[in-house]
Amino acid sequence: MSDLSVLIAGKAGDGINQAGLLLSRLLSELGHRIYMSLDYQSLIRGGHNFSVIRASRNPISACRDKIDFLLALNQDGIDLHTRKLTDSSRVIYDSDSVKPGAMKNGRLGLPLAKIMKEQGAAPIMRNSCLIGAFCGRVGIEWQVLEKVFRKHIPREIDLNLALARAGFDSAEPIMQLEPLDQTPLPVFTGNEAIGLGFIKAGLKTYVAYPMTPSSNLLHFLADVAEDFSLKVIHPESEIAVILMALGFSYVGEKAAVGTSGGGFCLMNEGLSLSGMAELPVVIVLGQRPGPSTGLPTYTSQTELHFALNAGQGEFVRFVVAPGDAEQAFYWSQVALNVSWKYQVPSIILSDKEMAEGAFSFDVDSVRNVEEQGPVLWDRKDAYKRYLDTETGISPLAFVPDKDAVIKVNSYEHDEYGITTEEALATKKIQEKRLRKETVLSQELDGYETVSIYGKRDSATALLCWGSNKGVCTEVGEDLGLRVVQVHVFSPFPERKLGEALEGVTKVISVENNATGQLARLVGSHGFSVDERISKYDGRSFSVDELKREVGDLNGPA
């Protein structure tokens, strides 16, 4: 089987996310390329959680409508997902809590309560038994399961293996999922890839207040903090988060913060302070449906214009939206470099699917990014924190430097950092700050700020950004369409987008928002979008769904 989808479902507290990651890593061990999507409600316990794990020979980052295996830990797992089954789908379920009804699909019920009692295991371990049964069904060898369990389960490994063995031995094989002739790849979430990129680029401090979907970046960096000499700090609010990060920046430590829309609202004053004081900082902004709290655990692409326009006054910012784990790793390095070279804030836009989705991660496919240090004071002349230069970039010195007086200022100021309200000085220092955008734009010409996939000479193009890169790429390849992904939004890569759209007569934008935020942005730069496909129910596009929608606009699929 070259394309396999598995859905595991239960309630919050059943360990569905970790079970999904284990299944992802089992299939990855066989050489498959993985994408896992996690769906959960904003509840501590109860409700309905499920993970969809898709495995394919080819790189993927989207799910399909139908599933091949359903693993159900409760009745909702059956009732809410039966429509996703095909005649050939198989179901494995907890027969102590689930009634499969008239379902005709091949099914295997396991008395999980009885097995847990016999093994003296906690109910949260039921998913180990279910995973063991899945491996038995699809012919994954026990040695593979044991290897993955021992590597990724940190506690009570022998008990988890005993439970998996009980499930494995209860399942008659119905197929043989053979290993592919591809190197197994690690599986990382988008947030983990961002964290790894930060570490590679020299991050010293990460400051965050937990907020879905950025929270697991905080958890990941806290877990690895000792290994990489990181400071990971959780202050009392998002206002404290960004001000603390700017303090670290002032003393010369590379700092980043993570948040979502509501937290980013609170950070706006700090963002403007970064712009005025020229203190570098990187903000990871995880998008979710709003306004206000909206659907806090679901996905959207609704903060593009917020990221571009947040904060009072006019200042340079770097805004980028990666579309998969490799891009997240790459652009997080670039963002940290840009912030420190140009002394500007950078914003990395992600979303729930990008941040919490899990991907096969091929580090060898990512172009190398060298860590760049800041432009430093040469000590030849008296130090001016805001020295007016041709590039607008003032050399940096950091406290405590006994030879330099280092003043940063949220008021308008002169080259020394002394407050001024004088007209000519105000005009001069504002022009110095804005001059950096021209230089940054020229440097970004050397980066792939716009990518092309699919049929490169097609006259019809799907225009996308962020996590829609994966689904658009797959649909574009299936339907013979050009796919154009915009990575960078500020400074906007107008020339690169023009080149990517050469020969295109019909542009279809694909976005997870109601108003077409990318379509509006490219329109302001003189590019027309002919059709818009929008989804704004908090869910991402499936490959089949987008294929139908594109087919409706562009003729039969």
Side-chain angles (χ1 to χ4, degrees):
M1 182 175 282
S2 60
D3 201 308
L4 177 74
S5 291
V6 184
L7 189 152
I8 182 166
K11 64 180 186 303
D14 280 341
I16 295 301
N17 185 25
Q18 289 306 311
L21 288 170
L22 274 174
L23 285 163
S24 299
R25 287 162 175 148
L26 277 163
L27 295 166
S28 181
E29 191 65 26
L30 301 180
H32 290 269
R33 301 302 178 240
I34 304 297
Y35 178 67
M36 186 193 90
S37 177
L38 173 65
D39 188 303
Y40 62 98
Q41 298 167 311
S42 181
L43 299 168
I44 302 299
R45 284 196 173 274
H48 184 61
N49 288 12
F50 65 94
S51 294
V52 181
I53 304 96
R54 186 177 168 214
S56 172
R57 172 175 284 278
N58 302 313
I60 50 171
S61 50
C63 293
R64 306 200 70 104
D65 283 347
K66 298 298 181 183
I67 56 175
D68 301 291
F69 278 87
L70 171 58
L71 280 55
L73 284 166
N74 65 1
Q75 192 64 44
D76 281 349
I78 298 290
D79 296 343
L80 298 176
H81 301 292
T82 300
R83 61 186 172 79
K84 297 173 183 170
L85 301 174
T86 68
D87 291 343
S88 60
S89 300
R90 298 290 184 268
V91 180
I92 306 173
Y93 62 97
D94 179 0
S95 59
D96 287 328
S97 60
V98 173
K99 297 185 184 309
M103 186 188 301
K104 295 179 181 178
N105 298 82
R107 60 198 194 197
L108 171 64
L110 298 171
L112 295 185
K114 179 172 176 287
I115 295 172
M116 295 301 114
K117 186 176 181 181
E118 289 173 350
Q119 297 288 342
I124 195 173
M125 295 182 182
R126 290 185 302 157
N127 52 49
S128 289
C129 193
L130 224 53
I131 291 171
F134 168 75
C135 290
R137 275 296 210 210
V138 301
I140 295 178
E141 294 181 356
W142 174 256
Q143 291 81 357
V144 175
L145 182 152
E146 183 173 355
K147 177 183 176 183
V148 171
F149 268 47
R150 288 196 181 280
K151 185 174 181 181
H152 295 289
I153 295 182
R155 291 186 294 275
E156 299 195 84
I157 179 60
D158 291 336
L159 182 53
N160 276 287
L161 281 171
L163 295 168
R165 187 82 218 192
F168 188 86
D169 291 342
S170 301
E172 289 290 331
I174 57 172
M175 59 184 288
Q176 186 64 43
L177 198 61
E178 298 288 350
L180 300 178
D181 55 347
Q182 300 186 126
T183 303
L185 295 176
V187 176
F188 286 121
T189 66
N191 273 344
E192 288 172 336
I194 289 173
L196 291 171
F198 280 156
I199 290 168
K200 184 171 182 292
L203 184 79
K204 296 300 180 190
T205 304
Y206 183 75
V207 194
Y209 186 89
M211 195 166 186
T212 305
S214 298
S215 300
N216 68 351
L217 176 56
L218 172 64
H219 302 156
F220 172 71
L221 290 174
D223 284 344
V224 301
E226 285 190 9
D227 298 332
F228 296 99
S229 300
L230 284 175
K231 296 184 191 71
V232 178
I233 303 171
H234 169 188
E236 72 276 15
S237 72
E238 284 87 354
I239 296 173
V241 163
I242 193 161
L243 294 180
M244 189 176 284
L246 294 178
F248 281 109
S249 176
Y250 174 62
V251 299
E253 289 204 4
K254 292 183 177 179
V257 306
T259 189
S260 185
F264 188 60
C265 290
L266 296 172
M267 290 183 180
N268 271 212
E269 176 69 22
L271 176 68
S272 289
L273 174 58
S274 169
M276 173 58 95
E278 301 184 55
L279 289 169
V281 67
V282 179
I283 301 168
V284 180
L285 173 51
Q287 301 168 97
R288 64 193 204 187
S292 190
T293 307
L295 300 175
T297 60
Y298 288 88
T299 199
S300 75
Q301 295 182 309
T302 50
E303 264 118 59
L304 174 56
H305 288 275
F306 188 20
L308 290 170
N309 298 292
Q312 68 271 39
E314 299 169 300
F315 56 93
V316 179
R317 68 193 76 191
F318 176 64
V319 180
V320 63
D324 58 27
E326 285 90 1
Q327 291 182 4
F329 179 65
Y330 175 79
W331 284 113
S332 57
Q333 296 175 69
V334 174
L336 200 56
N337 280 346
V338 165
S339 273
W340 276 84
K341 181 173 180 179
Y342 291 90
Q343 302 165 39
V344 297
S346 290
I347 300 172
I348 300 173
L349 276 167
S350 72
D351 56 53
K352 155 59 184 312
E353 287 300 311
M354 174 68 219
E356 296 187 342
F359 308 76
S360 291
F361 178 64
D362 184 4
V363 70
D364 293 334
S365 70
V366 183
R367 285 183 299 166
N368 186 50
V369 179
E370 295 293 338
E371 179 183 346
Q372 295 182 20
V375 177
L376 296 174
W377 176 43
D378 62 10
R379 297 180 177 274
K380 291 179 181 175
D381 299 307
Y383 185 66
K384 293 181 180 178
R385 172 60 185 90
Y386 298 110
L387 180 68
D388 191 8
T389 65
E390 287 186 8
T391 61
I393 301 169
S394 307
L396 285 173
F398 303 111
V399 292
D401 187 323
K402 64 181 177 59
D403 297 322
V405 177
I406 306 162
K407 287 183 177 294
V408 293
N409 201 334
S410 68
Y411 275 66
E412 194 53 279
H413 45 261
D414 63 15
E415 290 181 284
Y416 290 97
I418 306 296
T419 297
T420 182
E421 294 179 343
E422 197 276 324
L424 285 178
T426 296
K427 182 171 182 286
K428 177 182 177 181
I429 209 75
Q430 175 68 336
E431 289 174 350
K432 177 201 103 66
R433 286 192 296 267
L434 294 180
R435 198 178 304 137
K436 290 186 280 189
E437 184 166 59
T438 302
V439 185
L440 175 56
S441 293
Q442 292 167 352
E443 179 174 337
L444 288 173
D445 275 345
Y447 291 79
E448 190 173 317
T449 51
V450 178
S451 293
I452 307 173
Y453 312 97
K455 192 170 185 293
R456 300 177 73 90
D457 61 352
S458 171
T460 299
L462 300 180
L463 180 68
C464 64
W465 62 289
S467 64
N468 279 334
K469 172 255 181 183
V471 68
C472 285
T473 300
E474 201 164 341
V475 169
E477 290 173 351
D478 283 353
L479 300 182
L481 304 177
R482 191 184 317 192
V483 176
V484 176
Q485 178 198 7
V486 181
H487 300 261
V488 174
F489 304 95
S490 177
F492 191 76
E494 202 168 290
R495 184 181 63 79
K496 290 279 186 74
L497 181 59
E499 292 171 356
L501 292 175
E502 279 182 6
V504 170
T505 57
K506 183 176 184 179
V507 176
I508 304 171
S509 69
V510 179
E511 300 189 62
N512 284 115
N513 57 56
T515 60
Q517 297 204 6
L518 176 60
R520 277 191 282 143
L521 178 63
V522 301
S524 71
H525 289 273
F527 299 95
S528 298
V529 167
D530 302 285
E531 303 280 359
R532 291 199 292 113
I533 297 177
S534 301
K535 187 170 185 180
Y536 38 89
D537 59 1
R539 278 71 178 176
S540 58
F541 289 100
S542 75
V543 173
D544 310 280
E545 177 186 23
L546 183 59
K547 197 170 177 179
R548 287 192 297 272
E549 295 229 22
V550 173
D552 289 344
L553 293 174
N554 205 40

